[in-house]
Amino acid sequence: MIELSITGTNAITFPHLDVWDWRIVIYLFLGGLSAGMLVMCSIANLRIPKQPVEELAQCVRAPFIAFIVLAVGAQFIIFDLGSPFHLYWGYLTFQPLSLMSWGTWGVPAVLFVNALYILAVIPKDQRHRLRFPFIIKISEKLAPKMRLIAKLNFAMGIFLGIYTGVLLSSFSAIPLWNNATLPILFLVSALSSGAAMIVIIAKKAEIKFLFTKIDIWLIVAELVVIALFFYGLYTSTAPYKKAIEPFFSLTDEHFIFTIALIAIFLLLPLALRIKLGELKEFEDGFHGEFTRAQIFRMNFAAILVLTGTLILRAAIVYAGQLTKLSFY
Amino acid sequence: MPRYVMVIDVERCIGCMACVIACKKENNVADGYFRTRVVEEVRGEFPYLRMELRSELCNHCEIAPCIDACPTRASHRAKDGTVQIEKKKCIGCKACILACPYDARYSTPEGVADKCTFCDHRLKEGKKPACVETCLGHSRIFGDLDDPNSEVAQLLKKHDASVRLEFAGTRPRVFYINKKFAGGL
Amino acid sequence: MSITRRDFLKIVAVTGGVAVAGTPVVKSVLALGKKPVSLPQYVPTTCEMCFWRCGLIAKVVDGKVVKLDGNPLHPNSRGKLCARGHGGIGLLYDPDRLKTPLINTGSRGEGKFKKASWDEALGYVADKMQKIKEKYGAESIALLTHGTVSTYFIHLLQAFGSSNFAFPSFALCRGARDTAFEITFGEAVGNPERVDIQNSKVVVLIGSHLGENAHNSQCQEFAEAVGKGATIIVVDPRFSTAAGKAKYWLPIKPATDLALLLSWINVIINEGLYDKEYVAKYTVGFNEVASAVKEYTPEWAEKETEIPANLIIETARIMGKNRPHVLIHPGRHTAWYSDNVQRQRAVAILTALLGAYGRPGGIYLNPKKKLEPVFLAEKDYPEHQKTAINKGNYPFAGEEGVTHAIVKTTLTEQPYPIKGWFTTGINIIKAMPNQRDTLKAIQKLELLVAVDMMPYDGVMLADVVLPECTYLERHDDLFTVKERAFGISLRQPVVQPMYDTKPGWWIAKELGKRLGLEDYFPWNTFEDFLKMKCETWGIDYSELTKKGYISFPESEKPYISADNEPKFKTPSGKIELYSKELKEKGFDPVPKYTKHEQPPEGWFRLIYGRSPVHTFSRTTNNPSLWELMEENTAWVNAKVAKRTGLKNGEYIVLVNQDGVKSNKVRIKITERIRPDCIYLVHGFSSTSKLLRKAYLRGADDQQLITKYDIDPIAGTVGMRVNFVKIAKEA
């Protein structure tokens, strides 16, 4: 029996870390969502144009919503800061080893490129809605460079998707996060949630169907990567084995993480199942209209995916802070 | 430039906790927050028991994960080699608290990160850190490792020393010498 | 618009000039919001967070005490302070401090206080005191006191005509060991104890948990001994911090310590491991001791103490082999059972047999310096009409009085009633066992006055509360420090008294004035008295105020040598291994073992001790120390706890043999204690609502000590005789 009695502990680090909470979870979720949406939009513009995709390419709503989502997400992390008025110091330097620094510069950069993309992609007949003449002028100048901006946007989306994962994996003191699988997991999860979001906001049923198909691959990838994530930690050393215990615990205090894991492995496959079901119906190719029920099922599957992504982020952020490198 | 290290002679610590509170008073640490602590670890079964009293604090690591994590250079290495926080630059993102494997940091009520400074304001006056000064057991010993005549250099020459979480690769500057017991770190 | 080169240069010059001239202006404007940083002041004084009384140096910035550090000159602190010492700031700025005099408007003990002026409060007290004197006699006023405030109130009491005072530190704490050492060696062992730990080769702690008992310099020396590789032998039913440093931890069955000591003496005598020369030269009664201990063999002792006989022999041999550099710690709190003095006599005899008294690593001799006593006033005290009752009828009771004698006299009114109590610097609820008796006794009084700094449980019972300021805000009498060398330590105010609190000397003097006793307080301020005292003693007062401590290094003569022969103030002039004094008074001249009651099945003996971050109930509300330890825990053996099904940290209640229930307390399930005891740190669970941090936190061990033994030799009590059971939280 080891008896431990410690005089002089801080509540933020003992008995376990209690540093980042729902604000960061929402930031990571919205950041990932925005990243996924940007990537999806950009792909649409970089593919050889096909009928439904052309229409997407001219759809401004997706990148616009991605912009709002990321801007709102950034508010949450600023809300989490203890001294937000000192934030300008982050812009007087760049710390290549600090993921927070990458985020400080990166998020505004993503927003900027996203704004350019919106201006480049906005259809001619909608341009007048930009109101301000000099913005309209910029939009006119950018439109011909759309493919280039789309490539930039794509890169920014990938960056944002990976960055949210590397932010967590950079902490060597937190065994659950400190592995190479986490950034991949967050990227795949971000892309999946991006595709799901586009399914929900798309007005045209064909777009919904297209991204439902795309999301199938991403969900499969996500489930595989989650499994690899846990397996990789299980086969690592003691603190890492301990870090995944909350997800497999049957005791009261950590049971919620087991439930979270079960939820993820219920929601995502269920969404998958629904999507595959849809797919089967149109094996022979797409003809005509979708029924309301079919549209509802596609939206529902997308919501399941989004929920699953949110639960995943929350579980990883909270469970990570339960286990440290030291044994107490 | 000096290479400040702390050597903790574990068997001499008698668990008086004077260091925990002296540090707070010297550095005006807010109620409920601590920059150093004493861990009392007892192992075994009655009546075969072993006890270790171990004080823990910021190790001012030579490869400091907290410095790497800081986006504004608030956490930085000072000229004397110690790890310090420039509060005016701290945005309170708490990345450094997550980065530290030693639970050395905390977030003050004012919203900035804080930790042991090796009492650099005292070092400048040629004094020892407050915890070292008041240690009843003469268990905390502080000095310049680059000075071969210093007590720390002599102790590290004569005794095996270990550091906390060596595998974390941070190269701490706080060394524990334990001439009688093994393990417990 | 185009700019000529000339214009350009003009612009640059003007800008540069403005910048150079303007920078200091801008800097000073920016600095307007900031306060100038004052230089700190360093004031030396003496601590009173416990009774070690370390010299400290206070750092004051802008009238606020920001740090306390040990005074390097003072031998009790040697430049360091323990946790309590640093916590003095917490006491000074504790928002729960007593701020004004209070008068109880409810029934006795109700604590329904109204604020009063000093005039009103002191007038009330003086008036009542005069009435008691007229009706019952001055001796009917008694004083229970502790700390430096005792100086003034004992003086006042005696000037008033009574000597019925008692310090809890005698009968409830160190009395037994001082009595035992006085009987054996002719003098008490001192405060600080004259233990030469840093030079000991073997340190035996029997009933001492040095380390958790954070007596500054003694802890420093203990750590030094540990560092030097001394063999530590700890005899304790609980695995204390000291046991954690020990080579031998003997988890003795409680109440059998005397058996172990006598058995050690048996082995050491039988194997000839005692210092023969020393014994022959300095002691009397060796043969009587040798024959008396014949029956106390290690095999016999094993049955009593549950310590294996071979361990008893091994540890005795280690002591013998390392003589005379062996320290058998004389103990401090020795108020355990009914044979306290005899048990500590065994410690003293063992010390003498090993030749350790007056030798390096043992007990060092008193410093060779004597100063003539200087009294608070030249005037003689009035004659007493009645005999003082404060020593009970205990033949060896010390001058400090016996607390329960006063309580008993108050209850029984025999030989005469006690109608007034002063409780100064003592928490009568937490200090004295059998709280029920105390609460009954105070109902017999016509006056109960408390002088203290914080609204402790006992203070809340008073009719009048007189708030004394803390040690950081007052002068007190010079401390004569008899460590290895002799020294004088000063206490002077570091800051002015906060709120409407006053130093003890002022309270006593003002009260004295109202009692017509001005002549007994001839000095204007206490500093005048101190200056006069220094002058009498040939000490430079201003030097003392600057340094805080003045030492007389030439007085240091700790060991016996050719030119330093010890003088034992015993009847025989030698160390009395066999005490004729005791025999004459009808007690065993050599300690005899008596069995004490053991807890019945299902019950546990309640044992108690100290925490390094607290001083009994004095500090449990101190914000700086409270955050290090908010409440105590009940230590229960792990196997015992397993049977109860309790989880670590769960709240339980302890019930004692008289049905008294404790406050809820967290259980500490541990391997570090014998299965037959439960341990609590003393002083917790205040019943005073005004102590917002300490109120009902943890369990009060004293509340469960409703039964107590009395050692007939000196009247010291035995408080380890209560048994408790665990009950789930009510």
Side-chain angles (χ1 to χ4, degrees), chain A residues 32-46 56 63 66 117 150-162 187 190-192 194-195 198 211 214 218:
Chain A
L33 179 60
S34 173
M37 290 176 75
L38 292 176
V39 169
M40 296 296 147
C41 301
S42 310
I43 287 178
N45 269 303
L46 294 170
L56 167 72
Y117 180 73
K151 283 182 193 163
L152 260 176
N153 208 33
F154 176 84
M156 284 294 161
I158 298 286
F159 158 75
L160 190 59
I162 293 182
L187 177 63
L191 295 175
S192 171
I198 291 188
F211 281 93
I214 292 173
L218 291 169

mmCIF file of all heavy atoms in Angstrom, chain A residues 32-46 56 63 66 117 150-162 187 190-192 194-195 198 211 214 218:
data_model
loop_
_atom_site.group_PDB
_atom_site.id
_atom_site.type_symbol
_atom_site.label_atom_id
_atom_site.label_comp_id
_atom_site.label_asym_id
_atom_site.label_seq_id
_atom_site.Cartn_x
_atom_site.Cartn_y
_atom_site.Cartn_z
ATOM 1 N N GLY A 32 -12.303 22.517 -36.071
ATOM 2 C CA GLY A 32 -12.265 21.353 -36.944
ATOM 3 C C GLY A 32 -13.376 21.409 -37.985
ATOM 4 O O GLY A 32 -13.165 21.107 -39.162
ATOM 5 N N LEU A 33 -14.532 21.808 -37.539
ATOM 6 C CA LEU A 33 -15.684 21.906 -38.450
ATOM 7 C C LEU A 33 -15.381 22.889 -39.571
ATOM 8 O O LEU A 33 -15.594 22.607 -40.761
ATOM 9 C CB LEU A 33 -16.906 22.349 -37.647
ATOM 10 C CG LEU A 33 -18.196 22.530 -38.420
ATOM 11 C CD1 LEU A 33 -18.593 21.221 -39.066
ATOM 12 C CD2 LEU A 33 -19.296 23.000 -37.491
ATOM 13 N N SER A 34 -14.874 24.035 -39.187
ATOM 14 C CA SER A 34 -14.538 25.052 -40.183
ATOM 15 C C SER A 34 -13.481 24.526 -41.144
ATOM 16 O O SER A 34 -13.582 24.714 -42.367
ATOM 17 C CB SER A 34 -14.050 26.303 -39.465
ATOM 18 O OG SER A 34 -13.573 27.238 -40.372
ATOM 19 N N ALA A 35 -12.476 23.848 -40.576
ATOM 20 C CA ALA A 35 -11.410 23.301 -41.415
ATOM 21 C C ALA A 35 -11.983 22.329 -42.437
ATOM 22 O O ALA A 35 -11.658 22.388 -43.635
ATOM 23 C CB ALA A 35 -10.376 22.594 -40.539
ATOM 24 N N GLY A 36 -12.839 21.452 -41.954
ATOM 25 C CA GLY A 36 -13.445 20.461 -42.849
ATOM 26 C C GLY A 36 -14.236 21.126 -43.964
ATOM 27 O O GLY A 36 -14.144 20.740 -45.137
ATOM 28 N N MET A 37 -14.993 22.130 -43.601
ATOM 29 C CA MET A 37 -15.810 22.808 -44.613
ATOM 30 C C MET A 37 -14.943 23.488 -45.644
ATOM 31 O O MET A 37 -15.222 23.448 -46.843
ATOM 32 C CB MET A 37 -16.727 23.837 -43.945
ATOM 33 C CG MET A 37 -17.826 23.200 -43.129
ATOM 34 S SD MET A 37 -18.815 24.416 -42.274
ATOM 35 C CE MET A 37 -19.776 25.057 -43.614
ATOM 36 N N LEU A 38 -13.865 24.111 -45.210
ATOM 37 C CA LEU A 38 -12.984 24.806 -46.156
ATOM 38 C C LEU A 38 -12.385 23.816 -47.151
ATOM 39 O O LEU A 38 -12.308 24.087 -48.350
ATOM 40 C CB LEU A 38 -11.864 25.516 -45.399
ATOM 41 C CG LEU A 38 -12.283 26.697 -44.527
ATOM 42 C CD1 LEU A 38 -11.108 27.250 -43.771
ATOM 43 C CD2 LEU A 38 -12.919 27.778 -45.378
ATOM 44 N N VAL A 39 -11.955 22.686 -46.615
ATOM 45 C CA VAL A 39 -11.349 21.681 -47.485
ATOM 46 C C VAL A 39 -12.354 21.184 -48.504
ATOM 47 O O VAL A 39 -12.053 21.074 -49.704
ATOM 48 C CB VAL A 39 -10.791 20.501 -46.649
ATOM 49 C CG1 VAL A 39 -10.419 19.346 -47.553
ATOM 50 C CG2 VAL A 39 -9.600 20.952 -45.843
ATOM 51 N N MET A 40 -13.568 20.892 -48.036
ATOM 52 C CA MET A 40 -14.605 20.392 -48.943
ATOM 53 C C MET A 40 -14.904 21.400 -50.032
ATOM 54 O O MET A 40 -14.979 21.058 -51.218
ATOM 55 C CB MET A 40 -15.884 20.079 -48.150
ATOM 56 C CG MET A 40 -15.720 18.962 -47.146
ATOM 57 S SD MET A 40 -15.355 17.405 -47.938
ATOM 58 C CE MET A 40 -14.322 16.647 -46.756
ATOM 59 N N CYS A 41 -15.064 22.665 -49.656
ATOM 60 C CA CYS A 41 -15.357 23.693 -50.668
ATOM 61 C C CYS A 41 -14.219 23.778 -51.670
ATOM 62 O O CYS A 41 -14.441 23.856 -52.880
ATOM 63 C CB CYS A 41 -15.486 25.070 -50.031
ATOM 64 S SG CYS A 41 -16.741 25.194 -48.818
ATOM 65 N N SER A 42 -13.023 23.800 -51.166
ATOM 66 C CA SER A 42 -11.877 23.982 -52.055
ATOM 67 C C SER A 42 -11.749 22.812 -53.013
ATOM 68 O O SER A 42 -11.463 23.004 -54.191
ATOM 69 C CB SER A 42 -10.593 24.110 -51.232
ATOM 70 O OG SER A 42 -10.783 25.057 -50.232
ATOM 71 N N ILE A 43 -11.959 21.585 -52.521
ATOM 72 C CA ILE A 43 -11.904 20.425 -53.405
ATOM 73 C C ILE A 43 -12.900 20.623 -54.550
ATOM 74 O O ILE A 43 -12.597 20.380 -55.706
ATOM 75 C CB ILE A 43 -12.247 19.137 -52.628
ATOM 76 C CG1 ILE A 43 -11.086 18.760 -51.714
ATOM 77 C CG2 ILE A 43 -12.538 18.011 -53.598
ATOM 78 C CD1 ILE A 43 -11.353 17.547 -50.887
ATOM 79 N N ALA A 44 -14.060 21.069 -54.163
ATOM 80 C CA ALA A 44 -15.107 21.243 -55.182
ATOM 81 C C ALA A 44 -14.612 22.131 -56.303
ATOM 82 O O ALA A 44 -14.909 21.898 -57.473
ATOM 83 C CB ALA A 44 -16.351 21.828 -54.529
ATOM 84 N N ASN A 45 -13.864 23.169 -55.943
ATOM 85 C CA ASN A 45 -13.410 24.093 -56.977
ATOM 86 C C ASN A 45 -12.215 23.580 -57.750
ATOM 87 O O ASN A 45 -11.947 24.024 -58.852
ATOM 88 C CB ASN A 45 -13.031 25.429 -56.338
ATOM 89 C CG ASN A 45 -14.210 26.341 -56.306
ATOM 90 O OD1 ASN A 45 -14.790 26.634 -57.339
ATOM 91 N ND2 ASN A 45 -14.587 26.750 -55.118
ATOM 92 N N LEU A 46 -11.493 22.644 -57.169
ATOM 93 C CA LEU A 46 -10.268 22.203 -57.838
ATOM 94 C C LEU A 46 -10.508 20.975 -58.706
ATOM 95 O O LEU A 46 -9.667 20.607 -59.505
ATOM 96 C CB LEU A 46 -9.193 21.890 -56.779
ATOM 97 C CG LEU A 46 -8.727 23.118 -56.000
ATOM 98 C CD1 LEU A 46 -7.868 22.736 -54.817
ATOM 99 C CD2 LEU A 46 -7.945 24.052 -56.916
ATOM 100 N N LEU A 56 -22.024 24.024 -56.723
ATOM 101 C CA LEU A 56 -21.463 24.222 -55.386
ATOM 102 C C LEU A 56 -20.415 25.314 -55.444
ATOM 103 O O LEU A 56 -20.324 26.165 -54.585
ATOM 104 C CB LEU A 56 -20.833 22.926 -54.866
ATOM 105 C CG LEU A 56 -19.974 23.203 -53.615
ATOM 106 C CD1 LEU A 56 -20.842 23.502 -52.429
ATOM 107 C CD2 LEU A 56 -19.069 22.047 -53.341
ATOM 108 N N PRO A 63 -18.393 28.496 -47.562
ATOM 109 C CA PRO A 63 -17.237 29.198 -46.986
ATOM 110 C C PRO A 63 -17.644 30.316 -46.042
ATOM 111 O O PRO A 63 -16.940 30.625 -45.082
ATOM 112 C CB PRO A 63 -16.486 29.743 -48.202
ATOM 113 C CG PRO A 63 -17.444 29.696 -49.317
ATOM 114 C CD PRO A 63 -18.394 28.599 -49.036
ATOM 115 N N ALA A 66 -18.375 28.717 -42.865
ATOM 116 C CA ALA A 66 -17.088 28.278 -42.298
ATOM 117 C C ALA A 66 -16.397 29.442 -41.611
ATOM 118 O O ALA A 66 -15.799 29.301 -40.534
ATOM 119 C CB ALA A 66 -16.201 27.701 -43.389
ATOM 120 N N TYR A 117 -11.288 33.869 -50.304
ATOM 121 C CA TYR A 117 -11.974 32.828 -51.066
ATOM 122 C C TYR A 117 -13.423 33.189 -51.296
ATOM 123 O O TYR A 117 -13.960 33.011 -52.396
ATOM 124 C CB TYR A 117 -11.839 31.492 -50.319
ATOM 125 C CG TYR A 117 -12.508 30.348 -51.006
ATOM 126 C CD1 TYR A 117 -11.961 29.789 -52.158
ATOM 127 C CD2 TYR A 117 -13.704 29.828 -50.518
ATOM 128 C CE1 TYR A 117 -12.569 28.739 -52.791
ATOM 129 C CE2 TYR A 117 -14.324 28.772 -51.161
ATOM 130 C CZ TYR A 117 -13.752 28.231 -52.295
ATOM 131 O OH TYR A 117 -14.361 27.188 -52.918
ATOM 132 N N ALA A 150 -8.350 28.910 -54.140
ATOM 133 C CA ALA A 150 -8.926 27.655 -53.658
ATOM 134 C C ALA A 150 -7.831 26.733 -53.140
ATOM 135 O O ALA A 150 -8.009 26.062 -52.123
ATOM 136 C CB ALA A 150 -9.719 26.990 -54.766
ATOM 137 N N LYS A 151 -6.695 26.684 -53.853
ATOM 138 C CA LYS A 151 -5.586 25.838 -53.373
ATOM 139 C C LYS A 151 -5.110 26.311 -52.005
ATOM 140 O O LYS A 151 -4.877 25.528 -51.087
ATOM 141 C CB LYS A 151 -4.410 25.889 -54.363
ATOM 142 C CG LYS A 151 -4.609 25.053 -55.590
ATOM 143 C CD LYS A 151 -3.374 25.117 -56.481
ATOM 144 C CE LYS A 151 -3.701 24.533 -57.857
ATOM 145 N NZ LYS A 151 -2.697 24.918 -58.854
ATOM 146 N N LEU A 152 -4.980 27.648 -51.857
ATOM 147 C CA LEU A 152 -4.570 28.230 -50.578
ATOM 148 C C LEU A 152 -5.567 27.862 -49.482
ATOM 149 O O LEU A 152 -5.198 27.482 -48.363
ATOM 150 C CB LEU A 152 -4.520 29.753 -50.687
ATOM 151 C CG LEU A 152 -3.147 30.409 -50.890
ATOM 152 C CD1 LEU A 152 -3.318 31.899 -51.061
ATOM 153 C CD2 LEU A 152 -2.237 30.087 -49.722
ATOM 154 N N ASN A 153 -6.820 28.000 -49.821
ATOM 155 C CA ASN A 153 -7.884 27.713 -48.869
ATOM 156 C C ASN A 153 -7.829 26.264 -48.409
ATOM 157 O O ASN A 153 -8.025 25.945 -47.238
ATOM 158 C CB ASN A 153 -9.241 28.020 -49.520
ATOM 159 C CG ASN A 153 -10.263 28.416 -48.482
ATOM 160 O OD1 ASN A 153 -9.932 29.026 -47.476
ATOM 161 N ND2 ASN A 153 -11.505 28.058 -48.709
ATOM 162 N N PHE A 154 -7.587 25.383 -49.409
ATOM 163 C CA PHE A 154 -7.460 23.961 -49.108
ATOM 164 C C PHE A 154 -6.325 23.735 -48.104
ATOM 165 O O PHE A 154 -6.482 23.040 -47.103
ATOM 166 C CB PHE A 154 -7.191 23.217 -50.422
ATOM 167 C CG PHE A 154 -6.937 21.746 -50.240
ATOM 168 C CD1 PHE A 154 -7.994 20.857 -50.159
ATOM 169 C CD2 PHE A 154 -5.640 21.246 -50.146
ATOM 170 C CE1 PHE A 154 -7.769 19.511 -50.000
ATOM 171 C CE2 PHE A 154 -5.405 19.897 -49.988
ATOM 172 C CZ PHE A 154 -6.481 19.026 -49.919
ATOM 173 N N ALA A 155 -5.195 24.381 -48.391
ATOM 174 C CA ALA A 155 -4.035 24.229 -47.501
ATOM 175 C C ALA A 155 -4.359 24.733 -46.109
ATOM 176 O O ALA A 155 -4.019 24.109 -45.104
ATOM 177 C CB ALA A 155 -2.838 24.972 -48.074
ATOM 178 N N MET A 156 -5.033 25.867 -46.045
ATOM 179 C CA MET A 156 -5.406 26.434 -44.757
ATOM 180 C C MET A 156 -6.329 25.498 -43.997
ATOM 181 O O MET A 156 -6.223 25.329 -42.783
ATOM 182 C CB MET A 156 -6.116 27.788 -44.952
ATOM 183 C CG MET A 156 -5.160 28.899 -45.302
ATOM 184 S SD MET A 156 -4.054 29.218 -43.927
ATOM 185 C CE MET A 156 -2.745 30.065 -44.724
ATOM 186 N N GLY A 157 -7.250 24.881 -44.718
ATOM 187 C CA GLY A 157 -8.173 23.947 -44.078
ATOM 188 C C GLY A 157 -7.431 22.756 -43.489
ATOM 189 O O GLY A 157 -7.669 22.346 -42.350
ATOM 190 N N ILE A 158 -6.522 22.204 -44.301
ATOM 191 C CA ILE A 158 -5.726 21.069 -43.801
ATOM 192 C C ILE A 158 -4.916 21.511 -42.586
ATOM 193 O O ILE A 158 -4.847 20.819 -41.574
ATOM 194 C CB ILE A 158 -4.797 20.527 -44.899
ATOM 195 C CG1 ILE A 158 -5.614 20.009 -46.083
ATOM 196 C CG2 ILE A 158 -3.889 19.459 -44.344
ATOM 197 C CD1 ILE A 158 -6.311 18.694 -45.825
ATOM 198 N N PHE A 159 -4.310 22.703 -42.715
ATOM 199 C CA PHE A 159 -3.514 23.219 -41.599
ATOM 200 C C PHE A 159 -4.360 23.315 -40.338
ATOM 201 O O PHE A 159 -3.980 22.843 -39.270
ATOM 202 C CB PHE A 159 -2.948 24.596 -41.942
ATOM 203 C CG PHE A 159 -2.573 25.415 -40.731
ATOM 204 C CD1 PHE A 159 -1.420 25.122 -40.022
ATOM 205 C CD2 PHE A 159 -3.394 26.438 -40.282
ATOM 206 C CE1 PHE A 159 -1.085 25.855 -38.890
ATOM 207 C CE2 PHE A 159 -3.067 27.167 -39.153
ATOM 208 C CZ PHE A 159 -1.904 26.878 -38.457
ATOM 209 N N LEU A 160 -5.538 23.908 -40.463
ATOM 210 C CA LEU A 160 -6.385 24.091 -39.288
ATOM 211 C C LEU A 160 -6.794 22.746 -38.701
ATOM 212 O O LEU A 160 -6.789 22.552 -37.492
ATOM 213 C CB LEU A 160 -7.634 24.899 -39.672
ATOM 214 C CG LEU A 160 -8.518 25.389 -38.532
ATOM 215 C CD1 LEU A 160 -7.748 26.279 -37.580
ATOM 216 C CD2 LEU A 160 -9.723 26.147 -39.096
ATOM 217 N N GLY A 161 -7.121 21.792 -39.574
ATOM 218 C CA GLY A 161 -7.535 20.474 -39.102
ATOM 219 C C GLY A 161 -6.422 19.767 -38.346
ATOM 220 O O GLY A 161 -6.639 19.185 -37.285
ATOM 221 N N ILE A 162 -5.205 19.857 -38.895
ATOM 222 C CA ILE A 162 -4.080 19.200 -38.210
ATOM 223 C C ILE A 162 -3.679 19.981 -36.964
ATOM 224 O O ILE A 162 -3.391 19.411 -35.917
ATOM 225 C CB ILE A 162 -2.876 19.069 -39.159
ATOM 226 C CG1 ILE A 162 -3.198 18.106 -40.294
ATOM 227 C CG2 ILE A 162 -1.653 18.599 -38.397
ATOM 228 C CD1 ILE A 162 -2.058 17.895 -41.245
ATOM 229 N N LEU A 187 -7.788 15.459 -37.782
ATOM 230 C CA LEU A 187 -7.944 15.906 -39.168
ATOM 231 C C LEU A 187 -9.080 15.147 -39.835
ATOM 232 O O LEU A 187 -9.981 15.745 -40.438
ATOM 233 C CB LEU A 187 -6.650 15.699 -39.946
ATOM 234 C CG LEU A 187 -6.755 16.070 -41.436
ATOM 235 C CD1 LEU A 187 -7.065 17.547 -41.597
ATOM 236 C CD2 LEU A 187 -5.470 15.717 -42.180
ATOM 237 N N ALA A 190 -12.250 16.203 -38.422
ATOM 238 C CA ALA A 190 -12.618 17.533 -38.887
ATOM 239 C C ALA A 190 -13.211 17.463 -40.285
ATOM 240 O O ALA A 190 -14.247 18.081 -40.583
ATOM 241 C CB ALA A 190 -11.402 18.454 -38.872
ATOM 242 N N LEU A 191 -12.553 16.697 -41.168
ATOM 243 C CA LEU A 191 -13.062 16.583 -42.536
ATOM 244 C C LEU A 191 -14.443 15.952 -42.527
ATOM 245 O O LEU A 191 -15.348 16.390 -43.243
ATOM 246 C CB LEU A 191 -12.097 15.745 -43.382
ATOM 247 C CG LEU A 191 -10.716 16.357 -43.605
ATOM 248 C CD1 LEU A 191 -9.812 15.391 -44.351
ATOM 249 C CD2 LEU A 191 -10.830 17.660 -44.378
ATOM 250 N N SER A 192 -14.589 14.945 -41.700
ATOM 251 C CA SER A 192 -15.889 14.272 -41.618
ATOM 252 C C SER A 192 -16.970 15.237 -41.151
ATOM 253 O O SER A 192 -18.076 15.281 -41.712
ATOM 254 C CB SER A 192 -15.773 13.079 -40.669
ATOM 255 O OG SER A 192 -17.027 12.527 -40.411
ATOM 256 N N GLY A 194 -16.880 18.419 -41.426
ATOM 257 C CA GLY A 194 -17.074 19.414 -42.478
ATOM 258 C C GLY A 194 -18.031 18.903 -43.542
ATOM 259 O O GLY A 194 -18.965 19.604 -43.961
ATOM 260 N N ALA A 195 -17.794 17.671 -43.957
ATOM 261 C CA ALA A 195 -18.686 17.090 -44.963
ATOM 262 C C ALA A 195 -20.112 17.013 -44.417
ATOM 263 O O ALA A 195 -21.078 17.330 -45.106
ATOM 264 C CB ALA A 195 -18.186 15.705 -45.346
ATOM 265 N N ILE A 198 -21.811 20.324 -44.533
ATOM 266 C CA ILE A 198 -22.226 20.730 -45.881
ATOM 267 C C ILE A 198 -23.494 19.991 -46.281
ATOM 268 O O ILE A 198 -24.373 20.544 -46.926
ATOM 269 C CB ILE A 198 -21.072 20.519 -46.874
ATOM 270 C CG1 ILE A 198 -19.976 21.530 -46.556
ATOM 271 C CG2 ILE A 198 -21.574 20.628 -48.310
ATOM 272 C CD1 ILE A 198 -18.866 21.584 -47.536
ATOM 273 N N PHE A 211 -22.068 14.708 -50.760
ATOM 274 C CA PHE A 211 -21.233 14.756 -49.545
ATOM 275 C C PHE A 211 -21.581 13.645 -48.571
ATOM 276 O O PHE A 211 -20.763 13.262 -47.741
ATOM 277 C CB PHE A 211 -21.308 16.141 -48.894
ATOM 278 C CG PHE A 211 -20.441 17.121 -49.614
ATOM 279 C CD1 PHE A 211 -20.955 17.919 -50.625
ATOM 280 C CD2 PHE A 211 -19.093 17.206 -49.311
ATOM 281 C CE1 PHE A 211 -20.139 18.797 -51.303
ATOM 282 C CE2 PHE A 211 -18.275 18.087 -49.994
ATOM 283 C CZ PHE A 211 -18.791 18.886 -50.998
ATOM 284 N N ILE A 214 -19.205 11.147 -49.768
ATOM 285 C CA ILE A 214 -17.831 11.474 -49.348
ATOM 286 C C ILE A 214 -17.627 11.139 -47.876
ATOM 287 O O ILE A 214 -16.607 10.584 -47.466
ATOM 288 C CB ILE A 214 -17.540 12.981 -49.597
ATOM 289 C CG1 ILE A 214 -17.497 13.266 -51.091
ATOM 290 C CG2 ILE A 214 -16.247 13.391 -48.921
ATOM 291 C CD1 ILE A 214 -17.381 14.739 -51.418
ATOM 292 N N LEU A 218 -14.912 9.012 -44.981
ATOM 293 C CA LEU A 218 -14.290 9.690 -43.846
ATOM 294 C C LEU A 218 -14.691 9.039 -42.531
ATOM 295 O O LEU A 218 -13.871 8.920 -41.611
ATOM 296 C CB LEU A 218 -14.682 11.174 -43.858
ATOM 297 C CG LEU A 218 -14.053 11.960 -45.016
ATOM 298 C CD1 LEU A 218 -14.670 13.341 -45.131
ATOM 299 C CD2 LEU A 218 -12.550 12.080 -44.816
#
